Amino acid sequence: MQLHHRQALQGSRATHGTRCSGTVICTRRNSIPATRHGEQVIVRAYVEPGDIKAWHKLDCKHVVEAQQFGPEALNAIFAEAAQMEKVKPGTPEAKVLDGRVMATLFYEPSTRTRLSFESAITHLGGTVLSTESAGEYSSAAKGETLEDTIRTIENYADCIVLRHFQAGSAKRAALVSSVPIINAGDGPGQHPTQALLDVYSIKKEIGRLNNLKIGMVGDLLNGRTVHSLAYMLSMFEGVKMYFVAPKVVAMKEEIKTYLTGKGVEWEEVDDLNAMASDVDVLYMTRIQKERFDDMKQYTAARGKYIIDTKVMQQLRKDAVVLHPLPRVDEIAVEVDDDPRAAYFRQAKNGLYIRMAIVKQCLLGC
């Protein structure tokens, strides 16, 4: 009997896995195999936020949102990333994904995310099928749905790295995919692997994740990186978040409500200079022009907050500046030479985190 797979995204929890004909099948509580066209459909569970400790223990994994991960999973991923920093060409470690294929399916522009994922699997011996500007140059331009695209590409690749312009698209893809889906950014929604590399960078730069003060600056409404980062940092003790943004792009209410429910202290402030003197991490983001319908609002928001030498004079000597990149003009170029400017080191960490994620996703399946 040929076995097919369908992901269960809502109300499901992973309990255990079994192997059948070389395929990992994770059942969910109280699930009954469905029937489609006379063939058995095995339901494999998506890990809901309530099961955050389970992610790294699953065989087959999706990376959809930051709330999937708990401290135990982060420790496992970060330990793997530290090992990835040591991988050398020609060694056995550089061949662990030999024969594995990654598809990068990008409906929005990307430089760092797409290239770091493609570099990640290449460093580990795998290969890449790449589609850039998929909305224009794939069958989506002919009206094909995302679900049909995923069902097709899963036949050619062992995992799919997806960037899409709609929030929630990664969950839609995971719902129908029999191979791991890795969310590389879903519109103004989330960017979980960016949050992983951000938290990894904070741990390397600052040395701790508890009792941390972080200022998030810029486009906090549309910035998927700050959304995922806020969710992920909320699991650590003593974290305080400052939100500095023009009113038109203030942090989403749902995220502030979530943080309050988790007991996380947060504060919205207007004075970047004053806040800079009180934080361990200054996390800057660009105002996202592509998310604006009214260019007058964009013009009013852009340039309101800029990290320059004056701001750096206020920043503590042991603090760091992070930025998911690309930058436009929100960090002055003269800041780059300051040792506290960690954003290019942060980008390098993206390779190691994505090597770790791809390895953990693929070796289980």
Side-chain angles (χ1 to χ4, degrees):
M1 180 184 298
Q2 183 178 2
L3 297 181
H4 296 270
H5 301 274
R6 183 186 304 166
Q7 303 300 321
L9 285 172
Q10 301 296 332
S12 64
R13 293 187 173 186
T15 54
H16 63 278
T18 58
R19 290 192 178 274
C20 181
S21 301
T23 302
V24 176
I25 303 167
C26 297
T27 62
R28 62 171 179 169
R29 295 188 183 95
N30 302 320
S31 66
I32 301 174
T35 300
R36 184 174 63 203
H37 304 303
E39 297 176 333
Q40 187 180 11
V41 177
I42 302 298
V43 180
R44 189 177 63 195
Y46 165 81
V47 181
E48 292 291 345
D51 290 313
I52 56 176
K53 292 183 179 180
W55 184 88
H56 62 298
K57 296 179 181 178
L58 291 177
D59 287 314
C60 286
K61 310 171 180 68
H62 295 301
V63 179
V64 173
E65 60 187 6
Q67 300 97 302
Q68 288 177 259
F69 303 95
E72 186 180 347
L74 292 189
N75 287 336
I77 293 167
F78 293 168
E80 187 75 70
Q83 292 302 310
M84 295 299 96
E85 295 190 30
K86 303 174 184 177
V87 173
K88 303 295 183 184
T91 63
E93 292 79 11
K95 300 176 183 179
V96 294
L97 296 183
D98 182 35
R100 300 301 183 101
V101 179
M102 168 197 288
T104 51
L105 181 62
F106 280 60
Y107 290 80
E108 286 190 324
S110 173
T111 301
R112 278 150 297 277
T113 302
R114 183 172 66 87
L115 292 181
S116 63
F117 265 115
E118 294 178 357
S119 180
I121 193 167
T122 304
H123 274 74
L124 296 174
T127 55
V128 178
L129 301 176
S130 185
T131 300
E132 190 177 13
S133 301
E136 183 178 359
Y137 296 113
S138 75
S139 291
K142 304 175 184 178
E144 184 175 59
T145 65
L146 174 64
E147 286 80 1
D148 283 0
T149 299
I150 295 298
R151 287 185 174 119
T152 300
I153 294 177
E154 70 179 9
N155 295 302
Y156 313 141
D158 300 297
C159 72
I160 300 171
V161 180
L162 173 67
R163 171 166 289 185
H164 200 271
F165 51 85
Q166 291 180 339
S169 56
K171 280 189 177 182
R172 288 171 53 200
L175 180 62
V176 299
S177 179
S178 64
V179 300
I181 296 292
I182 302 176
N183 183 2
D186 57 345
Q190 287 208 42
H191 197 345
T193 66
Q194 180 69 47
L196 287 168
L197 76 90
D198 291 342
V199 176
Y200 184 63
S201 297
I202 292 171
K203 187 174 182 181
K204 288 180 67 175
E205 297 284 342
I206 304 298
R208 68 180 190 282
L209 295 172
N210 293 319
N211 302 311
L212 187 79
K213 291 184 179 181
I214 181 170
M216 301 184 187
V217 188
D219 192 340
L220 307 187
L221 175 66
N222 300 303
R224 55 197 172 207
T225 63
V226 290
H227 301 162
S228 292
L229 182 57
Y231 282 128
M232 195 166 287
L233 286 177
S234 70
M235 71 181 73
F236 297 100
E237 296 181 1
V239 172
K240 180 173 182 178
M241 302 182 191
Y242 293 97
F243 302 139
V244 186
K247 290 183 179 180
V248 69
V249 287
M251 180 61 84
K252 289 183 176 182
E253 291 298 325
E254 65 189 71
I255 294 179
K256 292 185 287 188
T257 300
Y258 178 90
L259 296 175
T260 299
K262 291 289 185 179
V264 177
E265 186 179 357
W266 59 268
E267 181 181 352
E268 292 182 308
V269 299
D270 295 321
D271 192 334
L272 174 59
N273 283 279
M275 183 269 290
S277 65
D278 192 44
V279 297
D280 303 293
V281 179
L282 196 54
Y283 191 97
M284 192 69 180
T285 65
R286 69 182 175 92
I287 304 297
Q288 298 191 15
K289 182 178 181 180
E290 66 271 23
R291 311 292 181 196
F292 283 79
D293 294 322
D294 185 344
M295 286 299 104
K296 290 183 179 179
Q297 288 187 336
Y298 167 72
T299 302
R302 178 184 174 184
K304 184 172 183 180
Y305 296 109
I306 296 176
I307 298 178
D308 54 18
T309 53
K310 293 181 180 179
V311 174
M312 296 301 290
Q313 288 172 1
Q314 301 300 319
L315 194 66
R316 296 206 318 259
K317 298 298 182 183
D318 58 347
V320 294
V321 177
L322 298 180
H323 192 308
L325 303 174
R327 85 174 143 189
V328 182
D329 55 6
E330 62 278 358
I331 299 180
V333 175
E334 59 263 25
V335 173
D336 294 354
D337 293 330
D338 191 303
R340 296 169 295 177
Y343 29 88
F344 293 115
R345 298 194 295 271
Q346 174 189 4
K348 186 175 183 179
N349 289 332
L351 171 62
Y352 306 130
I353 282 292
R354 286 166 178 142
M355 288 172 71
I357 286 292
V358 170
K359 179 182 176 182
Q360 291 201 8
C361 285
L362 286 180
L363 286 188
C365 291

